[in-house]
């Protein structure tokens, strides 16, 4: 996990690829294959994804932001807006792509734990029917959230029922969906049954670069091949993306990877919480730990360890674990936290 001579708890994107994924890509490299997804790997994998999710259709894409834009584009009408948490990735970390590429407005709501609720969604519906106001059309949720929390199945069903009653479609950003499924001990289909379209991330869970867009509502997938090409998410050598997912789906490697990352986050949170002057800011339900500690201790730690300061004003940092995080890495980091706090 070394990064410029330091150890990294900065992101699960910092991890390499799982050996099984690398082997699958190498195996797929033999011989020629028809391009743009008309290959046997893509056919097998999209079929397996449809089965795992109980979905209408599945499409492979290059990255998480691309999946989000593609998923929202198939759900939105030209005049409609997206309701999401202030902390949502589409609002904070995608360089305004939803606004720039889709021309949509993001109607954000404060979500202290990263999760939206029917009550929060309702606060953004007051302008419906006014031609001077952007019309809410889609609610976007993230599972697990940007704060490392997970919607329970009951919470997702409650959101789904509210949205259906109010004529809203639901999009789920599943960049870390595997971590949520492992945390909740549920199936992918159970997480997906309450939404219209969702993404399923592989890149943060052992892939080199592989994401999937899953369409649950029948009929919505008809336009996606054209939108995917238009939005530059159709890769010519698709077999290499499909091969990565094939490795992750085999024997539920995706769940094994995610469960390990979650366990390492729990180990880190438990160890750090025992250090005087360290407070865990949010429930640790996936593979993220948010902690509050003194600025001078943060500076001391960052001389040897890589991680991000999430909220400088509140002195909150984010520590991420991954499928290849070792218990020894966590224990060494906890010891370093203790040493920094003791200074």
């Amino acid at each position: 996990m070394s990064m410029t001579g330091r150890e990294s708890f900065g992101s699960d994107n910092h991890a390499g690829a799982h050996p099984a994924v690398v082997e699958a890509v190498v195996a797929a490299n033999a011989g020629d294959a028809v391009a743009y997804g008309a290959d046997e790997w893509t056919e097998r994998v999209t079929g397996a994804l449809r089965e795992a999710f109980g979905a209408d259709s599945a499409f492979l894409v290059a990255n998480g932001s691309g999946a989000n834009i593609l998923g929202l584009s198939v759900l939105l009408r030209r005049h409609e807006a997206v309701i999401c948490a202030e902390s949502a990735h589409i609002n904070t970390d995608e360089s305004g792509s939803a606004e720039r590429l889709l021309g949509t407005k993001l109607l954000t709501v404060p979500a202290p734990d990263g999760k939206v609720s029917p009550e929060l969604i309702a606060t953004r519906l007051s302008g419906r029917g006014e031609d001077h106001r952007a019309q809410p059309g889609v609610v976007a949720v993230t599972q697990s959230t940007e704060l490392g929390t997970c919607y329970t199945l009951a919470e997702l069903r409650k959101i789904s029922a509210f949205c259906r009653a109010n004529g809203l479609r639901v999009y789920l950003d599943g960049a870390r969906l595997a971590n949520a499924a492992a945390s909740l001990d549920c199936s992918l289909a159970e997480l997906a049954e309450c939404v219209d379209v969702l993404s399923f991330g592989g890149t943060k869970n052992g892939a080199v670069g592989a994401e999937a867009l899953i369409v649950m509502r029948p009929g919505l997938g008809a336009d996606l091949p054209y939108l995917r090409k238009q939005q530059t998410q159709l890769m010519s050598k698709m077999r290499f993306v499909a091969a990565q997912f094939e490795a992750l789906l085999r024997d539920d490697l995706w769940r094994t990877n995610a469960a390990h990352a979650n366990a390492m986050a729990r180990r880190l949170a438990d160890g750090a919480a025992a250090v005087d002057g360290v407070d865990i800011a949010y429930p640790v339900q996936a593979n993220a730990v948010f902690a509050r500690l003194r600025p001078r201790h943060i500076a001391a730690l960052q001389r040897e360890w890589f991680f991000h300061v999430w909220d400088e004003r509140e002195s909150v940092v984010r520590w991420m674990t991954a499928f290849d995080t070792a218990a020894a890495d966590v224990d060494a980091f906890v010891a370093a936290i203790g040493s920094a706090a003791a200074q």
Side-chain angles (χ1 to χ4, degrees):
M1 287 177 58
S2 63
M3 183 175 183
T4 62
R6 296 177 293 180
E7 295 301 308
S8 175
F9 283 90
S11 174
D12 37 13
N13 279 323
H14 292 177
H18 191 281
V21 170
V22 176
E23 290 169 8
V25 171
V26 172
N29 194 43
D32 290 348
V34 180
Y36 300 109
D39 60 83
E40 59 183 277
W41 292 268
T42 302
E43 182 179 1
R44 285 197 304 268
V45 165
T46 52
L49 287 169
R50 288 196 303 271
E51 183 177 355
F53 282 91
D56 180 72
S57 53
F59 299 84
L60 302 182
V61 296
N63 54 60
S65 295
N68 288 340
I69 294 302
L70 182 59
L72 290 173
S73 72
V74 79
L75 291 172
L76 284 164
R77 292 184 291 175
R78 292 286 296 273
H79 61 285
E80 288 181 329
V82 179
I83 299 173
C84 63
E86 288 178 347
S87 58
H89 201 269
I90 58 173
N91 182 52
T92 61
D93 287 289
E94 295 183 3
S95 196
S97 59
E99 297 94 332
R100 180 71 174 91
L101 300 178
L102 299 180
T104 191
K105 183 176 179 64
L106 299 180
L107 302 173
T108 63
V109 295
D113 60 355
K115 297 190 285 189
V116 300
S117 65
E119 293 75 20
L120 289 171
I121 296 166
T123 65
R124 285 303 202 165
L125 300 182
S126 59
R128 296 189 99 179
E130 282 189 49
D131 57 6
H132 298 284
R133 307 280 291 276
Q135 297 298 292
V138 173
V139 171
V141 300
T142 309
Q143 177 76 315
S144 58
T145 75
E146 288 78 10
L147 299 182
T149 54
C150 295
Y151 291 89
T152 65
L153 294 177
E155 287 172 328
L156 286 176
R157 288 165 185 154
K158 189 176 179 183
I159 290 170
S160 176
F162 178 85
C163 289
R164 288 197 177 102
N166 287 276
L168 298 165
R169 282 83 68 197
V170 183
Y171 175 73
L172 188 151
D173 178 347
R176 296 186 177 96
L177 192 70
N179 301 94
S183 177
L184 297 170
D185 192 23
C186 68
S187 68
L188 295 173
E190 287 176 297
L191 288 171
E193 66 183 4
C194 297
V195 307
D196 297 296
V197 177
L198 71 155
S199 66
F200 179 39
T203 308
K204 292 179 170 64
N205 195 33
V208 177
E211 311 287 315
L213 192 70
I214 311 296
V215 179
M216 301 301 294
R217 188 199 291 183
L220 280 179
D223 293 338
L224 266 165
Y226 313 105
L227 292 170
R228 179 173 60 171
K229 177 64 175 178
Q230 190 180 68
Q231 294 172 25
T232 72
Q233 287 295 309
L234 178 63
M235 288 151 291
S236 59
K237 297 186 179 181
M238 189 74 78
R239 60 171 154 161
F240 296 112
V241 179
Q244 295 175 63
F245 266 115
E246 194 161 48
L248 291 175
L249 292 171
R250 186 177 298 119
D251 298 324
D252 285 347
L253 178 61
W254 65 268
R255 185 183 291 273
T256 301
N257 286 351
H260 176 79
N262 291 357
M264 291 300 99
R266 183 73 265 165
R267 185 185 186 100
L268 174 53
D270 290 345
V275 176
D276 286 341
V278 177
D279 296 315
I280 304 303
Y282 305 110
V284 179
Q285 297 171 341
N287 64 323
V289 179
F290 290 82
R292 185 178 292 104
L293 59 163
R294 294 183 179 89
R296 68 177 182 274
H297 298 157
I298 296 173
L301 275 172
Q302 285 186 322
R303 283 194 285 270
E304 299 294 333
W305 300 83
F306 186 91
F307 56 87
H308 294 289
V309 177
W310 184 262
D311 186 331
E312 189 170 355
R313 185 172 60 86
E314 294 293 329
S315 196
V316 172
V317 299
R318 186 190 74 168
W319 300 322
M320 298 295 301
T321 55
F323 78 92
D324 61 350
T325 302
D329 296 331
V330 173
D331 295 344
F333 188 42
V334 169
I337 294 168
S339 295
Q343 291 178 11

